[in-house]
Amino acid sequence: MEKPVTAIVAGAGNRGNVYGDYALRFPEELKIVGFAEPVPFRSTRFAEKHNIDSKNQFITWEHIFDVPKFADAVIITTPDALHYGPAMAALEMGYDLLLEKPIAQTWQECRDIMKLTQDRGRIVAVCHVLRYAPLHKKIKEVIDSEALGRLVSIDLIEPVEHLHMSHSFVRGNWRNSKESNPMLLAKSCHDLDLLRWYTGTRCKRVSSFGHLTWFKEENAPPGSTLRCTDGCAVEAECQYSALKIYYRNHQRLHVMDIPENVDKGPVILERLKNGPYGRCVYHCDNDVVDHQVVAMEFEKEITASFSMEAFTSYYGRRIKVMGAMGDIVGELEDLVIADFTTGKQLGWNVQEHADISSGHGGGDDGLVRDWVQAVSQQDPGFLSTDIASAMESHLMAFRAEESRLTGTVREVGAPE
Ligand SMILES: NC(=O)c1ccc[n+]([C@@H]2O[C@H](COP(=O)([O-])OP(=O)(O)OC[C@H]3O[C@@H](n4cnc5c(N)ncnc54)[C@H](O)[C@@H]3O)[C@@H](O)[C@H]2O)c1
């Protein structure tokens, strides 16, 4: 590259820092030149990290677009409900985009973004980072090589893990489908996207079932209080005790904006007494499901099933790919690829073949690397996950959620 791609980050939280840190590690590829972030702690930290000129530090995303275009691209890492506004404004002004998933909260909004992308001829990558993870690339390569013969079906499970569920989808940012999205878009659009990508064909129909079964008031133990800090009678034995998770075990503290060089304890207690993470998991305003299954029929008679499960002691996707001549069993970092004709089994461990040090099994860096090339060369061909491909898997998620809510099989087909 002759010069780095310049980008503005909308939302300097967790993901904004993931992509921002790439710029610090590869300054010859990407330079962050501005940002919008309303939380002062995050704003100061981000400005210092990237040495951002004060005139390019904004409080909310709208302000980025009050000034003339001053970078090649905008990285949209705002909360789910704030993707549509900045995406449309950025495209209007001629910016390219790195757009966090899900694209937007409704199918119509996704269509608007897609149309504006096409009308303006912009480069838009959607952060389906798993397409860039070496393990998933290997599965795709084996399927495409026809080593398994004709692809027949795929079975994918995402064990969310019960504490992660409680943190992100009961107490945290993705607990409420109206404020963020239903689980299939907020969490499992990655999985539906993998299935669309692996099969290489269009999904024809979906049906889905799922419920919020456990994390609700009727399951609150006697003696529990609205917050774990309110003198709950069962706090000591509750696996979801916020005092245990955050205060005593210091887990998942990255959401609490704790300044460096301070006594963490009192800060955490204050956050638990007043913030979302101190709430009892049985007394939250959550409505997203804690278990959901999706059955899919693709073209060429390929079938697939997907399960999102909160109630596991483990996390990390497990996959089984069934071909007419062989299969793949994938668990975490390992694949076993079997050939029915020879009876041979080949073991493949991702650590032995690739650098997976960046997040999502190496997918985070892979995505940004291709995206900066695509923007730099103005060639969407570098992207495995452009907006057109993401639209297909988002449509599967929207239709599957409709199926769950209506109890009907929903047609998917081509995005219109
Ligand atoms: N690709 C993935 O695997 C992946 C993983 C996690 C999250 N995500 C998605 O990335 C997005 C961000 O998630 P996150 O985990 O970084 O959340 P986060 O809460 O850590 O970051 C979002 C940031 O946006 C800021 N913000 C809020 N309102 C704003 C406004 N009006 N203008 C500008 N900034 C504003 C927040 O203060 C926060 O710092 C979400 O859409 C989420 O679903 C994707």
Side-chain angles (χ1 to χ4, degrees):
M1 290 170 62
E2 279 176 20
K3 59 183 177 59
V5 163
T6 55
I8 305 159
V9 170
N14 167 31
R15 298 304 293 173
N17 277 282
V18 167
Y19 302 126
D21 287 353
Y22 184 94
L24 299 179
R25 285 183 290 120
F26 301 101
E28 67 288 357
E29 291 182 37
L30 180 62
K31 183 171 167 55
I32 306 299
V33 295
F35 70 93
E37 171 55 55
V39 176
F41 172 84
R42 299 179 189 183
S43 172
T44 307
R45 181 181 60 186
F46 202 76
E48 283 171 5
K49 253 186 178 180
H50 296 279
N51 197 16
I52 305 287
D53 195 321
S54 58
K55 74 176 192 319
N56 294 340
Q57 299 178 24
F58 304 100
I59 294 173
T60 69
W61 65 264
E62 291 90 338
H63 299 120
I64 298 171
F65 308 106
D66 288 342
V67 299
K69 182 172 183 276
F70 64 97
D72 299 316
V74 178
I75 298 176
I76 298 183
T77 46
T78 33
D80 289 14
L82 299 178
H83 288 188
Y84 181 74
M88 294 296 281
L91 289 167
E92 285 285 0
M93 285 187 68
Y95 286 105
D96 291 324
L97 293 187
L98 182 63
L99 174 58
E100 257 307 351
K101 44 63 39 181
I103 298 171
Q105 285 181 298
T106 66
W107 179 240
Q108 185 53 49
E109 287 177 348
C110 294
R111 291 179 67 198
D112 292 348
I113 296 174
M114 177 73 205
K115 182 166 184 314
L116 199 53
T117 303
Q118 287 171 330
D119 288 352
R120 300 298 155 101
R122 300 302 349 146
I123 308 271
V124 178
V126 176
C127 299
H128 281 141
V129 284
L130 294 181
R131 285 197 188 200
Y132 287 92
L135 182 112
H136 295 290
K137 284 166 83 169
K138 178 68 180 177
I139 295 172
K140 172 75 173 154
E141 180 193 308
V142 174
I143 294 172
D144 287 353
S145 74
E146 297 184 3
L148 309 178
R150 177 173 165 174
L151 178 63
V152 176
S153 65
I154 305 180
D155 180 17
L156 177 62
I157 174 170
E158 171 156 37
V160 174
E161 199 271 336
H162 62 293
L163 288 183
H164 181 199
M165 179 77 197
S166 71
H167 174 82
S168 293
F169 305 101
V170 179
R171 291 178 165 128
N173 291 349
W174 297 275
R175 66 187 181 276
N176 187 289
S177 57
K178 281 158 217 76
E179 282 181 27
S180 60
N181 274 299
M183 196 71 167
L184 281 186
L185 279 146
K187 179 81 177 130
S188 308
C189 66
H190 283 303
D191 300 277
L192 301 183
D193 185 68
L194 282 177
L195 292 169
R196 167 67 186 88
W197 184 52
Y198 288 152
T199 59
T201 62
R202 201 155 261 160
C203 182
K204 290 167 65 179
R205 345 173 213 273
V206 287
S207 66
S208 180
F209 304 93
H211 299 276
L212 170 61
T213 296
W214 186 245
F215 294 107
K216 49 190 185 183
E217 204 147 343
E218 70 201 47
N219 295 316
S224 61
T225 47
L226 294 186
R227 285 184 181 269
C228 303
T229 48
D230 288 348
C232 171
V234 293
E235 187 279 316
E237 71 236 38
C238 177
Q239 65 271 46
Y240 300 109
S241 159
L243 284 166
K244 177 177 158 200
I245 298 169
Y246 305 101
Y247 182 67
R248 293 198 286 276
N249 292 351
H250 280 194
Q251 291 170 304
R252 302 169 197 273
L253 292 184
H254 64 280
V255 291
M256 293 204 184
D257 297 332
I258 301 175
E260 280 174 29
N261 307 321
V262 297
D263 182 3
K264 283 195 178 75
V267 182
I268 299 169
L269 269 188
E270 185 279 319
R271 303 280 199 273
L272 296 185
K273 282 181 183 158
N274 300 303
Y277 296 99
R279 294 181 299 175
C280 170
V281 292
Y282 304 104
H283 294 292
C284 288
D285 58 342
N286 57 311
D287 69 357
V288 301
V289 295
D290 50 29
H291 57 121
Q292 185 164 3
V293 295
V294 184
M296 287 149 274
E297 185 185 21
F298 287 82
E299 289 168 351
K300 302 184 185 170
E301 298 179 5
I302 299 168
T303 52
S305 62
F306 167 67
S307 313
M308 181 288 299
E309 306 292 348
F311 299 103
T312 58
S313 54
Y314 50 89
Y315 61 90
R317 292 172 173 84
R318 272 82 170 151
I319 186 163
K320 297 189 180 94
V321 182
M322 279 68 64
M325 299 293 175
D327 71 351
I328 304 175
V329 176
E331 291 233 352
L332 300 175
E333 295 178 354
D334 286 293
L335 301 178
V336 176
I337 304 160
D339 180 325
F340 301 158
T341 315
T342 62
K344 287 199 175 130
Q345 290 200 335
L346 173 73
W348 190 91
N349 176 279
V350 67
Q351 298 262 18
E352 291 168 9
H353 297 271
D355 172 12
I356 56 165
S357 53
S358 74
H360 293 99
D364 286 354
D365 273 7
L367 166 70
V368 189
R369 187 162 296 123
D370 277 6
W371 176 72
V372 291
Q373 288 299 332
V375 173
S376 172
Q377 320 222 5
Q378 287 296 292
D379 179 358
F382 282 95
L383 299 174
S384 276
T385 169
D386 63 357
I387 185 165
S389 70
M391 287 291 281
E392 295 220 3
S393 49
H394 274 53
L395 184 58
M396 291 163 62
F398 281 111
R399 294 289 178 261
E401 185 61 6
E402 284 167 18
S403 165
R404 184 183 78 83
L405 294 172
T406 59
T408 56
V409 174
R410 305 295 291 177
E411 302 290 320
V412 183
E416 317 143 356

